[in-house]
Structures are given as C-alpha cells and as structure tokens.
Amino acid sequence: MVNQERVLIVGALGQVGRELIYQLSNKHGVENVIVSDLKHSDNIDNKQITLNVMDYDAFKGIVIEEKITQVYNLAALLSATAEKNLELGWKLTIDGLFNSLNLAKEGHIKKIFWPSSIAVFGPNTPKENTPQHTIVEPNTVYGIGKDAGELWCNYYHQKYGVDVRSIRYPGLIGYKSLPGGGTTDYAVAIFHNAIEKGTYECFLEADTKLPMMYMEDAIRATLELMEAPAENIKVRTSYNIAGFSFSPAEIAASIKKQIPNFSITYAPDFRQQIAKTWPASIDDSAAQKDWNWKPNYTVNDLVTIMLTEIKKKVKV
Ligand code: SER
C-alpha cells in the first residue's frame, strides 16, 4: 500500500467534478478520494470536507491531515458568471491555482490537475483548427484567468519541477448534472428543454459554431493525461483537445430528427459576444502525439445518449 494515491478533488460538486468523483473512486477506492466544495451533497459515499480553495491554511491542513498525493483543482466561476463578478472570478482561478502550485512546490503533493478552457482564445485567434501554440489574447474574465493560470503552471513546472497537467476543455455536454454559468451550456439546456417542453430559446445566434465534447470523453482525457509518464507531457501550459463542433442550428436539426415537433428560437444575449471570440474548431495533434488522445464519441452518439438518458430521468 506504499504507493496508494490519495486524491483531493476541489470544487468537486460542479459539472466535471461530479463525474470525476465516480471515476477516480473506481480507480483509487472511495476511501482514497476526498471530496471538497463549499457545498455538501447527500448522495456521495466519499468523505466530504468544506473547503474554500482561496484559504491556503485550510487547504494545506486538509492535504496534510488526509495525506493527499494528488489534487484536482476544479473550483471556478464559468465564463458567463465571471463576467458578472470580475474580482471573484479572477481570485478564485488564480488564488486557488497558486495555492495548489505552492502545495506541490513545498513538497506536500506530487501531482496537480488544473482545467483550462477554449476560453483562453480570443478574437485574434485563428478560428478554424485553432493550433496548440497560437495568439490567445482572451477578452473575458474567465479567459484571462485561464491564460494567466496556464503560464503559471508552465512557470512552476520549469522553475520548481511541479508536475501540473492541464487540458483546455471545449464545451462539455453530459446528462448527469446541470451545468452552471457557461457560454457553451446552451448545448446541455437544449436537450432538457427539447424533452420537457419541446421548444428552446437559445442565447446564442443560430450559426455560432463552437468546439464541444461528450463528458465521458473529457473525463477519460483527464485520467489519461494524469496517468501518462511525466516525460511525455511536453506541453506544460495546457493541451488542446477536440471532440466535434456544431452550431445551435445544427444541434437543433439533429434533435429534430428524433423529436420532430421540436422547435428552437433565438434571443442572443451577452453570451453571444463571448462565444464569437472563441474558436469554431480545435487542432489537438499535440495531445494525440504526446499521450495518444483520441475521442470516442461523435455528435450523433451525443444526441442519442443525451435524449435517451434525459428521457429516463424525466419519467422517473
Ligand atoms: N464551457 C465553458 C464556458 O462556457 C468554457 O470552458 O464557460
């Protein structure tokens, strides 16, 4: 049992965290995966600890007490929410990341996962097949935090040998939890609305194409990146990964094939201004080359899974 990993998931009760709790518990054992968040959940078997990631002493106390070896630091305000709360959006991203990086620098933990996002890109970034290394210049609070954070990850790796790994998630779509505050989240809400109401009012314009991914692929990518040998991880800012891309009109048409009466209307709001600065598609060849990344799910798989699983939930 000498090499038993002890994992702390921070911000564990969000969209990504809830899925990671399950997968990481399967891998390391429920007793070795500690869940922390500001909230508490009644339907989780793991030990839960309330933690504000910006509180270094509390964070360090948990890491030492629980003999944590790996931290998945997921605490963040997503793009739309952060625009309405600049300082908290920035502080949560950067202070939380610094605290994780410093715990590793001081030798308390061995490995960190920190998510970045397609939000690191901005209006001057090439839109199609956005390369791994390119102009970023994000113009959202969330994107500025992720861009700066990526550079700090790289800095701590170069300077102090901290083993921090990161992925630029595209819009993530899953049926297990409702997202909160993202610009890509229309692509989750649309399925719930299609089933429950037969109609959806979209906050983006019809032809706004964005990179998306089925949640299970994103979680597998995360675990594969974390398991890859350290010497294979050549990108210490954050890796591009791609699933598929679609616009609201395209995903609505796919849903209509299975729910013929479904209709969509458009009422673009401030989130359209965010979406139009992000890429339409992503080049993930560096992730493919360095740690064999490959998505399993197509957009057709996504539509079928989302409609089937949400229908089951609605009936219950
Ligand atoms: N899905 C996120 C958002 O829309 C981007 O990472 O905010």
Side-chain angles (χ1 to χ4, degrees):
M1 274 310 197
V2 180
N3 292 324
Q4 179 61 60
E5 296 292 344
R6 298 271 301 160
V7 179
L8 176 67
I9 312 178
V10 181
L13 299 182
Q15 192 194 6
V16 174
R18 282 181 181 272
E19 312 253 354
L20 269 177
I21 294 171
Y22 181 70
Q23 298 282 351
L24 287 168
S25 299
N26 270 349
K27 190 169 152 51
H28 300 291
V30 175
E31 67 286 4
N32 291 311
V33 177
I34 311 295
V35 163
S36 76
D37 203 294
L38 292 175
K39 302 172 285 208
H40 178 92
S41 169
D42 285 336
N43 41 31
I44 287 171
D45 297 331
N46 305 62
K47 179 167 182 179
Q48 294 185 55
I49 303 177
T50 305
L51 172 67
N52 177 343
V53 70
M54 297 182 286
D55 181 342
Y56 186 70
D57 292 339
F59 195 172
K60 183 172 166 180
I62 294 170
V63 160
I64 291 172
E65 175 89 359
E66 297 294 337
K67 301 187 170 53
I68 298 299
T69 59
Q70 298 188 4
V71 166
Y72 288 69
N73 174 6
L74 309 174
L77 298 185
L78 287 184
S79 58
T81 314
E83 286 306 297
K84 307 212 177 245
N85 202 338
L86 271 66
E87 276 184 46
L88 180 61
W90 167 259
K91 272 177 79 66
L92 186 54
T93 299
I94 293 299
D95 292 5
L97 175 61
F98 259 113
N99 287 347
S100 308
L101 291 171
N102 284 328
L103 285 169
K105 180 183 163 210
E106 288 171 14
H108 299 296
I109 51 176
K110 291 190 303 194
K111 224 187 247 187
I112 302 167
F113 177 77
W114 181 77
S116 186
S117 158
I118 52 164
V120 284
F121 300 116
N124 297 319
T125 304
K127 271 219 166 305
E128 292 288 350
N129 273 322
T130 301
Q132 175 68 51
H133 301 287
T134 186
I135 298 168
V136 283
E137 299 178 13
N139 64 1
T140 61
V141 175
Y142 182 64
I144 294 169
K146 291 299 187 191
D147 183 21
E150 286 189 4
L151 297 173
W152 280 116
C153 289
N154 193 47
Y155 184 94
Y156 268 67
H157 177 72
Q158 304 291 338
K159 230 121 172 151
Y160 308 119
V162 167
D163 191 357
V164 53
R165 304 176 183 202
S166 179
I167 283 174
R168 291 170 175 157
Y169 288 134
L172 299 184
I173 306 167
Y175 61 87
K176 289 187 190 148
S177 64
L178 286 173
T183 301
T184 57
D185 292 345
Y186 88 85
V188 180
I190 195 170
F191 289 102
H192 290 272
N193 281 261
I195 288 168
E196 284 160 32
K197 301 188 200 139
T199 169
Y200 178 61
E201 184 178 274
C202 184
F203 55 74
L204 297 185
E205 284 168 10
D207 60 354
T208 311
K209 192 171 105 176
L210 290 168
M212 301 282 185
M213 181 174 286
Y214 179 48
M215 183 61 87
E216 226 173 277
D217 268 341
I219 299 299
R220 186 174 49 80
T222 307
L223 299 179
E224 287 177 4
L225 173 68
M226 287 297 273
E227 280 160 21
E231 61 273 19
N232 292 12
I233 311 299
K234 309 282 187 227
V235 175
R236 290 291 182 163
T237 48
S238 188
Y239 277 100
N240 281 6
I241 61 167
F244 34 75
S245 293
F246 56 74
S247 66
E250 286 166 344
I251 199 72
S254 300
I255 293 173
K256 223 172 146 50
K257 283 190 196 144
Q258 300 196 35
I259 305 180
N261 291 334
F262 174 62
S263 65
I264 183 165
T265 56
Y266 298 94
D269 65 15
F270 74 101
R271 288 169 281 192
Q272 175 61 28
Q273 301 309 313
I274 298 177
K276 77 174 190 202
T277 70
W278 289 355
S281 61
I282 298 287
D283 175 354
D284 63 1
S285 46
Q288 291 177 31
K289 184 163 154 278
D290 292 355
W291 43 280
N292 297 320
W293 159 247
K294 198 171 151 325
N296 280 342
Y297 292 89
T298 66
V299 68
N300 289 333
D301 300 332
L302 172 88
V303 173
T304 306
I305 295 168
M306 290 296 283
L307 292 178
T308 313
E309 295 299 330
I310 296 169
K311 260 183 215 153
K312 279 190 210 159
K313 282 194 186 181
V314 171
K315 272 188 201 141
V316 172

